[in-house]
Amino acid sequence: MTALVVTCLIVLAVIFVGFLAGRDKAARSSIEQWSIGGRNFGSLLVWFLVGADIYTAYAFLGMTGYAYSFGAPAFFSIAYAVMCFPIAYFIIPKIWRYASKHNLTTLADYARERFQSKLLGVCVAIVGIVFLIPYICLQLSGITGVVQVAGQGVFENPKAVGTIALIISFILVALYTFFSGLRAPAWTGVIKDLLVWIVLIGMIVTIPYIWFDGWGDMLHQVVTKYPEKLTLPGTSPNGMLNSFWFGTASFISALALFMWPHGATGALSAKSEDSVRKNTVFLSFYNILLFFVTLLGLIAFMVLPKHPEDPSFANFALLHLIDASYSNPIVQGVMFSTIALASLVPASIMVLAASNLVATNIVKDIFVPNISGEKQTLIARCFVFVITGLALLFGILFPNYLVQLQLEGVSGTAQLLPAIFLSLYWKNLATTPVLVGLISGIAFVFLNHFIFQLPGYDGFWGLIVNVVVVVILNLFFAHQAKENIRTNKMLANDK
Amino acid sequence: MQWFLLLIIIIMNIGVLPLVNRVHPIIIGMPFFLFWYLLSMIVTPILSWWIYAIGKKKHDSDVRSAEK
């Protein structure tokens, strides 16, 4: 019980900081202020913000769960997290430059200006929103997990209490996002990231000594007892998660990372192009945590009881490991609150990014082109509640329908690559091929998932189809590309 | 050069998978597969920093020539 009280107090204190972050009215004075903090964040704050974006509760719980269930395939996240930042170096600084010159706040804005096509902008926005909402639902699991594990033996029905805690905490987070805009997740993200570093380093240092004679002994024991867990395909069913899967999954995830609306939001909030560039080097430091946390999943496999019949046990393996390793309720409470915050803070950035896409790229671009800046900001802020509500509704009522969308989230957003990445380097890329490529790529992702079932990652095959379509069709649309280059103000300013 | 470094990063992380997907030899107590990704986690940021440094040099000289 004490652990839960400590968890609640810390989470509430941090949410309060979120409100404090927006006490200056400037925080919500314009869409640029509210959605990307007025493009005024220094390198360090961007580091915390993008770090908060990527290293979420779902990442930590998901990776330990994967390692617990399958072993080595979980390390695809290391390969992915290591590759994503050098790749981003070639995408994000350029986008940032366009965005700051032309007052863009979303990737869909960039696509619209680059191709002078509102239709393409809307499609990019819709793809972002459709795959982001299920991803927000995934973040909810951090909260329910904490209450379920910490509430065992305290509440009669920890699942129901978890749902109530979930609803309350997300309403509070929606409120602070409405109120403070990106400044709220940025400053709460600083606290969350500091807690994540402290707590995870604490666990990495102590847990191997609680159960073994340190890391050396632990590794020795895995090697002798479970060597099959240490190479691909691990213990995945039918050897599905083999090297080909590992390679395609990590590569596509790395490419797709900054195609996510919330990834772009974090990067666009930077004050200068150089601070974006610097972060593609320094964000890599977080991977050290990810590496050892994944190893904790192997420890969880060795020391916790096996529950093959209950898949949700694997998802919360890290929480069960905390519960089993530490007896001091205050230590437990701090750790649980860290996991809870690691699900609330990223969710806030995601909700904000999705709301901005609705207000800017759907409402403004399509329905009310001459909307005032004030109204646009207000609409974006109000959509925070709609998006949060949808995420809660789907997450609580229809979790089963979401699974497919969640699985295909990365594959889906990866299909934006021609529109965002190729378009930066290929001036003669025309609108129609990109649009057709995007649609066929996404269609193929689902076709492959349900019908063809080619080995490897769905997004990989989708992207191949997508790029082939783009390259072939582009031959027939040379005039469209020329016309675009001739009339495009954004490209004309480009030296 | 920058793109070449990126290519090295990608090869190091996924190109050589069939070669590193093994338990032995065990290095500093780590099974080889894990050791490889520990190594990549240290080497990749160094390469990223190199990419960054090349870009910064280019950018600075661009700015200087623009000022002239």
Side-chain angles (χ1 to χ4, degrees):
Chain A
M1 190 67 204
T2 325
L4 270 176
V5 173
V6 174
T7 309
C8 274
L9 287 177
I10 295 178
V11 170
L12 288 177
V14 173
I15 290 178
F16 180 68
V17 171
F19 283 104
L20 279 185
R23 66 192 187 286
D24 185 352
K25 260 199 169 162
R28 47 194 169 280
S29 59
S30 74
I31 196 82
E32 212 175 358
Q33 286 292 338
W34 182 79
S35 73
I36 52 171
R39 235 183 284 277
N40 199 25
F41 290 177
S43 302
L44 192 64
L45 196 54
V46 172
W47 186 79
F48 277 117
L49 183 62
V50 179
D53 250 4
I54 300 170
Y55 301 91
T56 61
Y58 173 67
F60 296 131
L61 295 179
M63 287 314 113
T64 45
Y66 244 62
Y68 172 90
S69 310
F70 310 125
F75 284 85
F76 99 91
S77 68
I78 305 296
Y80 138 61
V82 162
M83 286 187 294
C84 64
F85 301 119
I87 290 175
Y89 178 91
F90 295 90
I91 310 176
I92 294 302
K94 273 183 165 245
I95 303 253
W96 185 93
R97 202 183 315 158
Y98 285 128
S100 91
K101 247 189 208 162
H102 302 275
N103 287 325
L104 314 177
T105 57
T106 65
L107 286 179
D109 278 349
Y110 162 76
R112 184 194 64 219
E113 295 299 317
R114 162 64 178 78
F115 292 99
Q116 302 192 81
S117 161
K118 284 184 177 174
L119 180 63
L120 188 60
V122 170
C123 289
V124 171
I126 290 175
V127 170
I129 297 165
V130 165
F131 290 106
L132 191 53
I133 291 180
Y135 201 63
I136 299 169
C137 295
L138 276 182
Q139 302 303 332
L140 311 180
S141 66
I143 301 280
T144 40
V146 164
V147 179
Q148 265 181 47
V149 174
Q152 264 167 1
V154 179
F155 304 116
E156 254 175 54
N157 186 352
K159 235 178 185 154
V161 181
T163 309
I164 295 167
L166 182 70
I167 294 172
I168 295 174
S169 51
F170 270 76
I171 288 175
L172 285 174
V173 167
L175 274 172
Y176 88 25
T177 314
F178 172 82
F179 187 72
S180 313
L182 193 66
R183 283 179 178 80
W187 288 108
T188 53
V190 173
I191 306 176
K192 169 244 155 192
D193 283 355
L194 288 175
L195 271 172
V196 162
W197 277 96
I198 294 167
V199 162
L200 290 184
I201 288 176
M203 284 166 71
I204 290 164
V205 173
T206 55
I207 284 186
Y209 288 92
I210 294 173
W211 301 96
F212 306 94
D213 287 335
W215 279 108
D217 179 41
M218 175 259 159
L219 286 166
H220 180 71
Q221 294 212 22
V222 207
V223 173
T224 43
K225 283 191 204 150
Y226 309 102
E228 73 279 5
K229 283 249 168 201
L230 294 171
T231 51
L232 303 172
T235 43
S236 55
N238 307 325
M240 226 166 60
L241 306 178
N242 54 16
S243 300
F244 186 66
W245 174 85
F246 188 101
T248 47
S250 54
F251 187 54
I252 294 297
S253 311
L255 281 172
L257 180 68
F258 281 92
M259 299 298 115
W260 283 104
H262 56 286
T265 294
L268 291 184
S269 68
K271 195 169 11 185
S272 73
E273 198 182 322
D274 192 54
S275 70
V276 183
R277 287 223 176 100
K278 253 188 216 145
N279 267 299
T280 63
V281 180
F282 290 107
L283 276 164
S284 315
F285 288 140
Y286 280 97
N287 294 337
I288 301 167
L289 290 181
L290 204 58
F291 182 83
F292 285 100
V293 168
T294 313
L295 282 181
L296 289 180
L298 283 178
I299 297 190
F301 167 75
M302 290 197 284
V303 303
L304 294 179
K306 318 279 179 284
H307 290 278
E309 76 292 344
D310 179 10
S312 74
F313 187 87
N315 293 339
F316 299 145
L318 183 65
L319 296 169
H320 288 289
L321 187 65
I322 295 175
D323 195 44
S325 304
Y326 300 98
S327 50
N328 185 326
I330 295 179
V331 173
Q332 275 192 2
V334 172
M335 291 180 167
F336 286 141
S337 70
T338 306
I339 300 288
L341 288 172
S343 77
L344 289 171
V345 175
S348 160
I349 312 172
M350 292 170 191
V351 168
L352 183 147
S355 312
N356 188 19
L357 283 172
V358 174
T360 306
N361 302 100
I362 297 179
V363 173
K364 182 182 173 216
D365 283 355
I366 298 294
F367 297 109
V368 209
N370 50 1
I371 193 171
S372 70
E374 270 165 47
K375 270 204 186 127
Q376 187 193 349
T377 316
L378 190 66
I379 290 173
R381 293 172 64 203
C382 291
F383 260 95
V384 164
F385 298 105
V386 178
I387 304 274
T388 312
L390 281 176
L392 280 172
L393 199 71
F394 284 121
I396 295 168
L397 294 183
F398 322 103
N400 299 331
Y401 295 100
L402 277 173
V403 176
Q404 304 301 334
L405 270 180
Q406 285 166 346
L407 286 176
E408 301 307 326
V410 174
S411 295
T413 44
Q415 306 312 320
L416 296 174
L417 280 158
I420 311 292
F421 189 1
L422 272 186
S423 66
L424 288 170
Y425 291 92
W426 188 6
K427 289 281 172 294
N428 284 318
L429 185 60
T431 316
T432 314
V434 170
L435 201 59
V436 179
L438 173 64
I439 293 165
S440 27
I442 288 179
F444 197 84
V445 164
F446 284 100
L447 281 177
N448 191 48
H449 186 79
F450 290 110
I451 301 168
F452 303 140
Q453 299 183 336
L454 297 170
Y457 206 58
D458 294 327
F460 173 72
W461 297 109
L463 193 60
I464 286 184
V465 169
N466 185 343
V467 171
V468 168
V469 167
V470 168
V471 170
I472 293 176
L473 272 185
N474 206 56
L475 296 173
F476 301 97
F477 285 89
H479 59 283
Q480 196 187 29
K482 278 212 185 84
E483 182 65 18
N484 181 34
I485 294 175
R486 201 172 60 75
T487 55
N488 197 322
K489 274 190 209 131
M490 191 172 89
L491 293 178
N493 285 340
D494 214 20
K495 50 171 187 309
Chain B
M1 185 63 187
Q2 286 177 307
W3 290 95
F4 177 70
L5 288 170
L6 180 64
L7 189 68
I8 292 182
I9 291 174
I10 291 170
I11 291 175
M12 174 166 185
N13 282 289
I14 51 180
V16 294
L17 257 177
L19 300 177
V20 301
N21 188 17
R22 55 205 290 168
V23 175
H24 295 281
I26 291 173
I27 301 178
I28 50 164
M30 288 217 155
F32 194 76
F33 183 76
L34 301 192
F35 170 75
W36 182 257
Y37 281 99
L38 185 69
L39 189 71
S40 130
M41 224 168 51
I42 297 162
V43 172
T44 311
I46 296 173
L47 294 178
S48 312
W49 182 80
W50 195 357
I51 295 177
Y52 168 78
I54 295 172
K56 194 164 165 60
K57 215 167 154 189
K58 216 179 350 179
H59 185 75
D60 288 351
S61 68
D62 282 356
V63 171
R64 242 175 281 135
S65 61
E67 278 168 0
K68 276 176 197 167

